[in-house]
Short mmCIF file of all heavy atoms in Angstrom, two decimals:
data_model
loop_
_atom_site.label_atom_id
_atom_site.label_comp_id
_atom_site.label_asym_id
_atom_site.label_seq_id
_atom_site.Cartn_x
_atom_site.Cartn_y
_atom_site.Cartn_z
N MET A 134 78.24 109.46 -26.59
CA MET A 134 78.89 109.84 -25.35
C MET A 134 78.76 108.69 -24.36
O MET A 134 77.67 108.18 -24.12
CB MET A 134 78.27 111.11 -24.81
CG MET A 134 78.86 111.57 -23.51
SD MET A 134 78.08 113.11 -22.99
CE MET A 134 79.46 113.90 -22.27
N GLN A 135 79.86 108.31 -23.72
CA GLN A 135 79.86 107.15 -22.84
C GLN A 135 79.03 107.34 -21.57
O GLN A 135 78.43 106.40 -21.09
CB GLN A 135 81.29 106.80 -22.45
CG GLN A 135 82.11 106.25 -23.60
CD GLN A 135 83.52 105.94 -23.15
OE1 GLN A 135 83.86 106.07 -22.00
NE2 GLN A 135 84.33 105.54 -24.10
N ALA A 136 79.00 108.53 -21.01
CA ALA A 136 78.31 108.74 -19.74
C ALA A 136 76.96 109.42 -19.90
O ALA A 136 76.24 109.58 -18.94
CB ALA A 136 79.18 109.54 -18.79
N ASP A 137 76.60 109.83 -21.12
CA ASP A 137 75.36 110.56 -21.36
C ASP A 137 75.19 111.71 -20.37
O ASP A 137 76.07 112.52 -20.22
CB ASP A 137 74.16 109.62 -21.32
CG ASP A 137 73.69 109.25 -22.71
OD1 ASP A 137 74.06 109.95 -23.66
OD2 ASP A 137 72.96 108.27 -22.83
N LEU A 138 74.07 111.75 -19.67
CA LEU A 138 73.82 112.83 -18.71
C LEU A 138 73.98 112.36 -17.27
O LEU A 138 73.54 113.02 -16.34
CB LEU A 138 72.41 113.40 -18.92
CG LEU A 138 72.18 114.02 -20.30
CD1 LEU A 138 70.73 114.45 -20.44
CD2 LEU A 138 73.10 115.19 -20.54
N ASP A 139 74.61 111.23 -17.08
CA ASP A 139 74.83 110.64 -15.76
C ASP A 139 76.06 111.27 -15.13
O ASP A 139 77.19 110.93 -15.49
CB ASP A 139 74.99 109.12 -15.92
CG ASP A 139 75.35 108.41 -14.64
OD1 ASP A 139 75.12 108.99 -13.55
OD2 ASP A 139 75.87 107.29 -14.73
N LEU A 140 75.87 112.20 -14.17
CA LEU A 140 76.99 112.90 -13.56
C LEU A 140 77.95 111.95 -12.87
O LEU A 140 79.17 112.08 -13.02
CB LEU A 140 76.48 113.96 -12.57
CG LEU A 140 77.56 114.78 -11.86
CD1 LEU A 140 78.44 115.52 -12.85
CD2 LEU A 140 76.93 115.72 -10.86
N ASP A 141 77.44 110.99 -12.12
CA ASP A 141 78.33 110.05 -11.44
C ASP A 141 79.13 109.23 -12.45
O ASP A 141 80.32 109.00 -12.26
CB ASP A 141 77.53 109.11 -10.52
CG ASP A 141 76.98 109.83 -9.30
OD1 ASP A 141 77.62 110.80 -8.84
OD2 ASP A 141 75.92 109.42 -8.80
N GLY A 142 78.50 108.82 -13.53
CA GLY A 142 79.19 108.08 -14.58
C GLY A 142 80.26 108.93 -15.25
O GLY A 142 81.36 108.44 -15.54
N TYR A 143 79.96 110.20 -15.49
CA TYR A 143 80.92 111.11 -16.10
C TYR A 143 82.13 111.31 -15.18
O TYR A 143 83.28 111.25 -15.62
CB TYR A 143 80.27 112.45 -16.42
CG TYR A 143 81.22 113.42 -17.04
CD1 TYR A 143 81.61 113.29 -18.37
CD2 TYR A 143 81.77 114.45 -16.29
CE1 TYR A 143 82.52 114.17 -18.95
CE2 TYR A 143 82.67 115.34 -16.86
CZ TYR A 143 83.03 115.19 -18.19
OH TYR A 143 83.93 116.06 -18.74
N MET A 144 81.87 111.54 -13.89
CA MET A 144 82.98 111.74 -12.95
C MET A 144 83.84 110.48 -12.86
O MET A 144 85.07 110.57 -12.74
CB MET A 144 82.45 112.15 -11.57
CG MET A 144 81.93 113.56 -11.55
SD MET A 144 81.52 114.18 -9.89
CE MET A 144 80.15 113.12 -9.46
N GLN A 145 83.23 109.30 -12.94
CA GLN A 145 84.00 108.07 -12.90
C GLN A 145 84.88 107.94 -14.15
O GLN A 145 86.03 107.51 -14.06
CB GLN A 145 83.08 106.85 -12.77
CG GLN A 145 83.84 105.58 -12.41
CD GLN A 145 84.53 105.68 -11.06
OE1 GLN A 145 83.94 106.07 -10.08
NE2 GLN A 145 85.81 105.34 -11.03
N LEU A 146 84.36 108.33 -15.31
CA LEU A 146 85.18 108.35 -16.52
C LEU A 146 86.38 109.27 -16.35
O LEU A 146 87.50 108.94 -16.78
CB LEU A 146 84.37 108.81 -17.73
CG LEU A 146 83.44 107.81 -18.37
CD1 LEU A 146 82.58 108.50 -19.43
CD2 LEU A 146 84.23 106.67 -18.99
N VAL A 147 86.17 110.42 -15.73
CA VAL A 147 87.25 111.38 -15.51
C VAL A 147 88.32 110.80 -14.61
O VAL A 147 89.51 110.82 -14.94
CB VAL A 147 86.71 112.72 -14.94
CG1 VAL A 147 87.85 113.62 -14.47
CG2 VAL A 147 85.86 113.43 -15.98
N VAL A 148 87.94 110.26 -13.44
CA VAL A 148 88.96 109.76 -12.52
C VAL A 148 89.68 108.54 -13.08
O VAL A 148 90.89 108.38 -12.89
CB VAL A 148 88.42 109.46 -11.09
CG1 VAL A 148 87.99 110.72 -10.40
CG2 VAL A 148 87.33 108.42 -11.09
N ASP A 149 88.97 107.69 -13.79
CA ASP A 149 89.62 106.54 -14.42
C ASP A 149 90.61 107.00 -15.48
O ASP A 149 91.73 106.49 -15.57
CB ASP A 149 88.59 105.59 -15.04
CG ASP A 149 87.76 104.85 -14.01
OD1 ASP A 149 88.17 104.79 -12.83
OD2 ASP A 149 86.68 104.34 -14.39
N GLY A 150 90.22 108.00 -16.29
CA GLY A 150 91.09 108.52 -17.33
C GLY A 150 92.32 109.22 -16.77
O GLY A 150 93.43 109.04 -17.27
N VAL A 151 92.14 110.02 -15.72
CA VAL A 151 93.26 110.71 -15.10
C VAL A 151 94.23 109.70 -14.50
O VAL A 151 95.45 109.83 -14.65
CB VAL A 151 92.77 111.71 -14.02
CG1 VAL A 151 93.92 112.18 -13.13
CG2 VAL A 151 92.07 112.88 -14.65
N ARG A 152 93.69 108.69 -13.87
CA ARG A 152 94.56 107.65 -13.28
C ARG A 152 95.38 106.96 -14.36
O ARG A 152 96.58 106.76 -14.21
CB ARG A 152 93.70 106.65 -12.52
CG ARG A 152 94.51 105.59 -11.84
CD ARG A 152 93.62 104.69 -11.01
NE ARG A 152 94.40 103.59 -10.51
CZ ARG A 152 93.98 102.36 -10.42
NH1 ARG A 152 92.76 102.06 -10.78
NH2 ARG A 152 94.75 101.42 -9.96
N ASP A 153 94.75 106.59 -15.46
CA ASP A 153 95.46 105.95 -16.56
C ASP A 153 96.49 106.88 -17.18
O ASP A 153 97.62 106.48 -17.46
CB ASP A 153 94.48 105.48 -17.64
CG ASP A 153 93.61 104.32 -17.19
OD1 ASP A 153 93.95 103.66 -16.19
OD2 ASP A 153 92.58 104.09 -17.85
N LEU A 154 96.11 108.13 -17.40
CA LEU A 154 96.98 109.11 -18.04
C LEU A 154 98.23 109.40 -17.22
O LEU A 154 99.32 109.53 -17.76
CB LEU A 154 96.21 110.41 -18.29
CG LEU A 154 96.96 111.53 -18.97
CD1 LEU A 154 97.31 111.14 -20.41
CD2 LEU A 154 96.11 112.80 -18.97
N THR A 155 98.07 109.48 -15.91
CA THR A 155 99.18 109.86 -15.04
C THR A 155 99.92 108.67 -14.44
O THR A 155 100.93 108.86 -13.76
CB THR A 155 98.68 110.75 -13.89
OG1 THR A 155 97.75 110.01 -13.10
CG2 THR A 155 98.05 112.03 -14.42
N GLN A 156 99.39 107.47 -14.65
CA GLN A 156 99.96 106.26 -14.04
C GLN A 156 99.95 106.35 -12.51
O GLN A 156 100.81 105.78 -11.84
CB GLN A 156 101.37 106.00 -14.56
CG GLN A 156 101.44 105.78 -16.06
CD GLN A 156 100.66 104.54 -16.50
OE1 GLN A 156 100.92 103.45 -16.04
NE2 GLN A 156 99.69 104.73 -17.37
N ALA A 157 98.99 107.08 -11.97
CA ALA A 157 98.86 107.24 -10.52
C ALA A 157 98.19 106.02 -9.93
O ALA A 157 97.56 105.23 -10.62
CB ALA A 157 98.03 108.49 -10.21
N GLN A 158 98.33 105.85 -8.63
CA GLN A 158 97.66 104.75 -7.93
C GLN A 158 96.18 105.04 -7.74
O GLN A 158 95.40 104.13 -7.49
CB GLN A 158 98.32 104.49 -6.58
CG GLN A 158 99.72 103.94 -6.72
CD GLN A 158 100.33 103.61 -5.38
OE1 GLN A 158 99.67 103.67 -4.34
NE2 GLN A 158 101.59 103.28 -5.37
N GLY A 159 95.80 106.31 -7.83
CA GLY A 159 94.40 106.66 -7.66
C GLY A 159 94.13 108.09 -8.10
O GLY A 159 95.05 108.86 -8.33
N ALA A 160 92.86 108.41 -8.23
CA ALA A 160 92.42 109.76 -8.57
C ALA A 160 91.07 110.00 -7.90
O ALA A 160 90.31 109.05 -7.69
CB ALA A 160 92.30 109.93 -10.09
N VAL A 161 90.79 111.25 -7.58
CA VAL A 161 89.58 111.59 -6.84
C VAL A 161 88.95 112.85 -7.41
O VAL A 161 89.66 113.79 -7.77
CB VAL A 161 89.90 111.84 -5.34
CG1 VAL A 161 88.65 112.23 -4.57
CG2 VAL A 161 90.58 110.66 -4.71
N VAL A 162 87.62 112.88 -7.49
CA VAL A 162 86.87 114.11 -7.74
C VAL A 162 86.18 114.45 -6.43
O VAL A 162 85.43 113.64 -5.88
CB VAL A 162 85.82 113.94 -8.86
CG1 VAL A 162 84.90 115.15 -8.90
CG2 VAL A 162 86.48 113.74 -10.20
N GLU A 163 86.47 115.65 -5.93
CA GLU A 163 85.82 116.14 -4.72
C GLU A 163 84.96 117.35 -5.08
O GLU A 163 85.36 118.16 -5.90
CB GLU A 163 86.85 116.58 -3.67
CG GLU A 163 87.71 115.46 -3.15
CD GLU A 163 88.76 115.96 -2.17
OE1 GLU A 163 88.65 117.11 -1.66
OE2 GLU A 163 89.70 115.20 -1.90
N LEU A 164 83.82 117.45 -4.45
CA LEU A 164 82.94 118.61 -4.64
C LEU A 164 82.84 119.37 -3.33
O LEU A 164 82.70 118.76 -2.27
CB LEU A 164 81.56 118.16 -5.11
CG LEU A 164 81.51 117.41 -6.44
CD1 LEU A 164 80.08 117.03 -6.77
CD2 LEU A 164 82.13 118.22 -7.56
N VAL A 165 82.92 120.69 -3.39
CA VAL A 165 82.82 121.52 -2.19
C VAL A 165 81.38 121.58 -1.74
O VAL A 165 80.46 121.78 -2.54
CB VAL A 165 83.37 122.94 -2.46
CG1 VAL A 165 83.14 123.85 -1.26
CG2 VAL A 165 84.85 122.88 -2.83
N ASN A 166 81.19 121.37 -0.43
CA ASN A 166 79.87 121.43 0.18
C ASN A 166 80.02 122.16 1.50
O ASN A 166 80.44 121.58 2.50
CB ASN A 166 79.32 120.02 0.39
CG ASN A 166 77.90 120.01 0.88
OD1 ASN A 166 77.42 120.99 1.44
ND2 ASN A 166 77.22 118.91 0.68
N GLY A 167 79.74 123.46 1.51
CA GLY A 167 79.91 124.27 2.71
C GLY A 167 81.37 124.39 3.08
O GLY A 167 82.19 124.78 2.26
N ASP A 168 81.72 124.01 4.31
CA ASP A 168 83.10 124.07 4.78
C ASP A 168 83.86 122.78 4.53
O ASP A 168 84.98 122.62 5.00
CB ASP A 168 83.12 124.37 6.28
CG ASP A 168 82.63 125.78 6.60
OD1 ASP A 168 82.77 126.66 5.73
OD2 ASP A 168 82.11 125.99 7.71
N ASP A 169 83.25 121.86 3.82
CA ASP A 169 83.86 120.55 3.55
C ASP A 169 83.95 120.31 2.05
O ASP A 169 83.31 120.98 1.25
CB ASP A 169 83.00 119.42 4.14
CG ASP A 169 82.89 119.47 5.65
OD1 ASP A 169 83.83 119.97 6.30
OD2 ASP A 169 81.87 119.01 6.17
N SER A 170 84.74 119.30 1.71
CA SER A 170 84.68 118.74 0.37
C SER A 170 84.23 117.30 0.53
O SER A 170 84.51 116.66 1.55
CB SER A 170 86.04 118.82 -0.35
OG SER A 170 86.99 118.00 0.29
N VAL A 171 83.53 116.80 -0.46
CA VAL A 171 83.00 115.44 -0.41
C VAL A 171 83.59 114.65 -1.57
O VAL A 171 83.54 115.09 -2.73
CB VAL A 171 81.45 115.44 -0.51
CG1 VAL A 171 80.91 114.02 -0.45
CG2 VAL A 171 80.85 116.28 0.59
N CYS A 172 84.18 113.51 -1.26
CA CYS A 172 84.74 112.63 -2.30
C CYS A 172 83.58 112.00 -3.05
O CYS A 172 82.86 111.16 -2.52
CB CYS A 172 85.61 111.55 -1.67
SG CYS A 172 87.04 112.18 -0.81
N ARG A 173 83.38 112.42 -4.31
CA ARG A 173 82.23 111.94 -5.08
C ARG A 173 82.56 110.80 -6.02
O ARG A 173 81.71 109.99 -6.36
CB ARG A 173 81.64 113.09 -5.90
CG ARG A 173 80.79 114.04 -5.12
CD ARG A 173 79.46 113.42 -4.70
NE ARG A 173 78.70 112.89 -5.81
CZ ARG A 173 77.81 113.55 -6.51
NH1 ARG A 173 77.55 114.79 -6.23
NH2 ARG A 173 77.17 112.96 -7.50
N SER A 174 83.81 110.74 -6.48
CA SER A 174 84.20 109.69 -7.40
C SER A 174 85.67 109.38 -7.20
O SER A 174 86.49 110.30 -7.12
CB SER A 174 83.95 110.13 -8.84
OG SER A 174 84.14 109.07 -9.72
N ILE A 175 86.00 108.09 -7.07
CA ILE A 175 87.37 107.69 -6.77
C ILE A 175 87.75 106.51 -7.65
O ILE A 175 86.95 105.58 -7.84
CB ILE A 175 87.53 107.31 -5.28
CG1 ILE A 175 87.13 108.48 -4.38
CG2 ILE A 175 88.95 106.85 -4.99
CD1 ILE A 175 87.15 108.16 -2.90
N SER A 176 88.97 106.54 -8.14
CA SER A 176 89.52 105.42 -8.90
C SER A 176 90.76 104.93 -8.17
O SER A 176 91.59 105.73 -7.76
CB SER A 176 89.89 105.88 -10.31
OG SER A 176 90.47 104.82 -11.03
N GLY A 177 90.89 103.64 -7.99
CA GLY A 177 92.08 103.09 -7.35
C GLY A 177 91.79 102.57 -5.95
O GLY A 177 90.65 102.29 -5.59
N ARG A 178 92.85 102.48 -5.17
CA ARG A 178 92.77 101.83 -3.86
C ARG A 178 91.81 102.51 -2.88
O ARG A 178 91.29 101.86 -1.98
CB ARG A 178 94.15 101.76 -3.22
CG ARG A 178 95.12 100.92 -4.01
CD ARG A 178 96.43 100.72 -3.32
NE ARG A 178 96.95 101.95 -2.74
CZ ARG A 178 98.15 102.04 -2.20
NH1 ARG A 178 98.93 101.00 -2.17
NH2 ARG A 178 98.56 103.18 -1.70
N ALA A 179 91.59 103.78 -3.02
CA ALA A 179 90.73 104.50 -2.07
C ALA A 179 89.26 104.46 -2.45
O ALA A 179 88.43 105.09 -1.79
CB ALA A 179 91.20 105.94 -1.95
N ALA A 180 88.90 103.71 -3.48
CA ALA A 180 87.51 103.68 -3.97
C ALA A 180 86.46 103.47 -2.88
O ALA A 180 85.40 104.07 -2.95
CB ALA A 180 87.37 102.65 -5.08
N PRO A 181 86.73 102.67 -1.85
CA PRO A 181 85.70 102.50 -0.80
C PRO A 181 85.41 103.77 0.00
O PRO A 181 84.47 103.82 0.76
CB PRO A 181 86.30 101.43 0.11
CG PRO A 181 87.28 100.69 -0.74
CD PRO A 181 87.82 101.72 -1.68
N ARG A 182 86.20 104.82 -0.20
CA ARG A 182 86.01 106.06 0.57
C ARG A 182 85.08 107.07 -0.11
O ARG A 182 85.01 108.23 0.31
CB ARG A 182 87.35 106.70 0.87
CG ARG A 182 88.23 105.82 1.73
CD ARG A 182 89.52 106.50 2.06
NE ARG A 182 90.43 105.62 2.73
CZ ARG A 182 90.61 105.59 4.05
NH1 ARG A 182 89.97 106.43 4.81
NH2 ARG A 182 91.45 104.75 4.58
N VAL A 183 84.36 106.65 -1.14
CA VAL A 183 83.39 107.55 -1.77
C VAL A 183 82.42 108.03 -0.70
O VAL A 183 81.94 107.25 0.12
CB VAL A 183 82.63 106.84 -2.92
CG1 VAL A 183 81.44 107.66 -3.37
CG2 VAL A 183 83.56 106.58 -4.09
N GLY A 184 82.15 109.33 -0.69
CA GLY A 184 81.25 109.91 0.30
C GLY A 184 81.97 110.51 1.49
O GLY A 184 81.36 111.20 2.31
N THR A 185 83.27 110.29 1.62
CA THR A 185 84.05 110.83 2.73
C THR A 185 84.04 112.36 2.67
O THR A 185 84.21 112.94 1.61
CB THR A 185 85.51 110.33 2.69
OG1 THR A 185 85.50 108.90 2.79
CG2 THR A 185 86.35 110.92 3.80
N ARG A 186 83.84 112.99 3.82
CA ARG A 186 83.87 114.45 3.92
C ARG A 186 85.21 114.87 4.51
O ARG A 186 85.69 114.27 5.46
CB ARG A 186 82.73 114.95 4.80
CG ARG A 186 81.36 114.61 4.26
CD ARG A 186 80.27 115.16 5.16
NE ARG A 186 80.11 116.59 5.01
CZ ARG A 186 79.38 117.18 4.06
NH1 ARG A 186 78.73 116.45 3.18
NH2 ARG A 186 79.28 118.48 4.00
N LEU A 187 85.81 115.92 3.93
CA LEU A 187 87.07 116.46 4.41
C LEU A 187 86.88 117.95 4.71
O LEU A 187 86.31 118.68 3.89
CB LEU A 187 88.16 116.31 3.35
CG LEU A 187 88.45 114.90 2.86
CD1 LEU A 187 89.31 114.94 1.62
CD2 LEU A 187 89.14 114.12 3.96
N ALA A 188 87.37 118.38 5.85
CA ALA A 188 87.29 119.80 6.19
C ALA A 188 88.22 120.59 5.26
O ALA A 188 89.40 120.26 5.13
CB ALA A 188 87.70 120.02 7.64
N LEU A 189 87.69 121.60 4.59
CA LEU A 189 88.50 122.42 3.70
C LEU A 189 89.65 123.09 4.45
O LEU A 189 90.74 123.28 3.90
CB LEU A 189 87.65 123.47 3.00
CG LEU A 189 86.68 122.94 1.94
CD1 LEU A 189 85.78 124.08 1.45
CD2 LEU A 189 87.42 122.31 0.79
N ALA A 190 89.43 123.44 5.71
CA ALA A 190 90.45 124.14 6.49
C ALA A 190 91.60 123.23 6.89
O ALA A 190 92.65 123.72 7.32
CB ALA A 190 89.82 124.74 7.73
N ALA A 191 91.45 121.92 6.76
CA ALA A 191 92.48 121.00 7.26
C ALA A 191 92.84 119.92 6.25
O ALA A 191 93.17 118.80 6.62
CB ALA A 191 91.98 120.35 8.55
N SER A 192 92.78 120.25 4.95
CA SER A 192 93.09 119.24 3.95
C SER A 192 93.88 119.84 2.79
O SER A 192 93.82 121.04 2.54
CB SER A 192 91.80 118.60 3.42
OG SER A 192 91.03 119.54 2.70
N LEU A 193 94.60 118.99 2.09
CA LEU A 193 95.36 119.44 0.92
C LEU A 193 94.42 119.97 -0.15
O LEU A 193 94.68 121.01 -0.76
CB LEU A 193 96.19 118.28 0.37
CG LEU A 193 97.07 118.60 -0.82
CD1 LEU A 193 98.14 119.63 -0.44
CD2 LEU A 193 97.73 117.34 -1.34
N SER A 194 93.30 119.29 -0.35
CA SER A 194 92.35 119.77 -1.36
C SER A 194 91.76 121.12 -0.95
O SER A 194 91.52 121.98 -1.79
CB SER A 194 91.25 118.74 -1.59
OG SER A 194 90.60 118.41 -0.39
N GLY A 195 91.57 121.31 0.35
CA GLY A 195 91.08 122.61 0.83
C GLY A 195 92.08 123.72 0.56
O GLY A 195 91.70 124.84 0.19
N LEU A 196 93.38 123.41 0.72
CA LEU A 196 94.42 124.38 0.41
C LEU A 196 94.37 124.77 -1.07
O LEU A 196 94.50 125.94 -1.41
CB LEU A 196 95.80 123.80 0.77
CG LEU A 196 97.02 124.65 0.45
CD1 LEU A 196 97.01 125.95 1.26
CD2 LEU A 196 98.29 123.86 0.71
N CYS A 197 94.17 123.78 -1.93
CA CYS A 197 94.06 124.05 -3.37
C CYS A 197 92.89 124.98 -3.67
O CYS A 197 93.00 125.90 -4.46
CB CYS A 197 93.89 122.75 -4.14
SG CYS A 197 95.31 121.65 -4.10
N VAL A 198 91.76 124.72 -3.03
CA VAL A 198 90.56 125.54 -3.24
C VAL A 198 90.79 126.96 -2.72
O VAL A 198 90.51 127.93 -3.41
CB VAL A 198 89.33 124.91 -2.55
CG1 VAL A 198 88.15 125.86 -2.55
CG2 VAL A 198 88.96 123.60 -3.23
N ARG A 199 91.32 127.06 -1.50
CA ARG A 199 91.54 128.39 -0.90
C ARG A 199 92.50 129.25 -1.71
O ARG A 199 92.29 130.43 -1.91
CB ARG A 199 92.09 128.24 0.53
CG ARG A 199 91.06 127.89 1.56
CD ARG A 199 91.62 128.02 2.97
NE ARG A 199 92.94 127.42 3.16
CZ ARG A 199 93.16 126.12 3.45
NH1 ARG A 199 92.16 125.29 3.54
NH2 ARG A 199 94.39 125.67 3.64
N ASP A 200 93.62 128.62 -2.18
CA ASP A 200 94.65 129.38 -2.89
C ASP A 200 94.46 129.38 -4.41
O ASP A 200 95.20 130.06 -5.12
CB ASP A 200 96.04 128.81 -2.57
CG ASP A 200 96.42 129.03 -1.11
OD1 ASP A 200 95.73 129.80 -0.42
OD2 ASP A 200 97.41 128.42 -0.67
N ALA A 201 93.50 128.61 -4.91
CA ALA A 201 93.25 128.47 -6.34
C ALA A 201 94.53 128.10 -7.08
O ALA A 201 94.87 128.68 -8.11
CB ALA A 201 92.63 129.75 -6.92
N GLU A 202 95.25 127.12 -6.51
CA GLU A 202 96.50 126.66 -7.08
C GLU A 202 96.57 125.14 -7.03
O GLU A 202 95.95 124.52 -6.16
CB GLU A 202 97.70 127.21 -6.32
CG GLU A 202 97.90 128.70 -6.46
CD GLU A 202 99.16 129.17 -5.77
OE1 GLU A 202 99.97 128.33 -5.34
OE2 GLU A 202 99.33 130.39 -5.64
N VAL A 203 97.35 124.56 -7.93
CA VAL A 203 97.64 123.13 -7.89
C VAL A 203 98.73 122.89 -6.87
O VAL A 203 99.72 123.62 -6.83
CB VAL A 203 98.09 122.62 -9.28
CG1 VAL A 203 98.51 121.17 -9.21
CG2 VAL A 203 96.99 122.83 -10.31
N VAL A 204 98.53 121.91 -6.02
CA VAL A 204 99.52 121.56 -4.99
C VAL A 204 99.87 120.09 -5.19
O VAL A 204 99.00 119.25 -5.41
CB VAL A 204 98.95 121.78 -3.58
CG1 VAL A 204 99.97 121.40 -2.53
CG2 VAL A 204 98.52 123.22 -3.40
N CYS A 205 101.15 119.77 -5.11
CA CYS A 205 101.62 118.41 -5.28
C CYS A 205 102.07 117.85 -3.94
O CYS A 205 102.80 118.49 -3.20
CB CYS A 205 102.78 118.36 -6.28
SG CYS A 205 103.42 116.71 -6.54
N CYS A 206 101.62 116.65 -3.64
CA CYS A 206 102.03 115.96 -2.42
C CYS A 206 102.73 114.67 -2.83
O CYS A 206 102.11 113.77 -3.40
CB CYS A 206 100.81 115.66 -1.56
SG CYS A 206 101.22 114.71 -0.08
N GLU A 207 104.01 114.58 -2.57
CA GLU A 207 104.79 113.40 -2.96
C GLU A 207 104.50 112.19 -2.07
O GLU A 207 104.61 111.06 -2.49
CB GLU A 207 106.28 113.72 -2.93
CG GLU A 207 106.69 114.77 -3.93
CD GLU A 207 106.52 114.34 -5.37
OE1 GLU A 207 106.63 113.13 -5.66
OE2 GLU A 207 106.26 115.20 -6.23
N ASP A 208 104.16 112.43 -0.78
CA ASP A 208 103.94 111.33 0.14
C ASP A 208 102.87 111.72 1.15
O ASP A 208 103.16 112.38 2.15
CB ASP A 208 105.25 110.98 0.85
CG ASP A 208 105.12 109.78 1.78
OD1 ASP A 208 104.01 109.21 1.90
OD2 ASP A 208 106.13 109.41 2.40
N SER A 209 101.63 111.33 0.89
CA SER A 209 100.53 111.73 1.78
C SER A 209 100.61 111.05 3.15
O SER A 209 100.02 111.54 4.10
CB SER A 209 99.19 111.43 1.12
OG SER A 209 99.05 110.04 0.92
N ALA A 210 101.35 109.96 3.28
CA ALA A 210 101.49 109.29 4.56
C ALA A 210 102.39 110.10 5.50
O ALA A 210 102.26 110.01 6.72
CB ALA A 210 102.06 107.90 4.38
N ALA A 211 103.30 110.87 4.93
CA ALA A 211 104.21 111.69 5.75
C ALA A 211 103.50 112.97 6.14
O ALA A 211 103.77 113.61 7.07
CB ALA A 211 105.49 112.01 4.99
#
């Protein structure tokens, strides 16, 4: 196993694989912590944002968690 029992290593394998599979510019694993989500592993241009906290009530990822649905955003800048 490439990541053994290293959770951070495993999450990095996941985001790197998802990015490659989807040909996306980036991929993120966020973990819920109270009323926030925390970016724990990032692949791509946003990699320096590891550790960023996002309010679940005011984020796309929070909407996904609240509604238990996949949501697609075509242009996050808009």
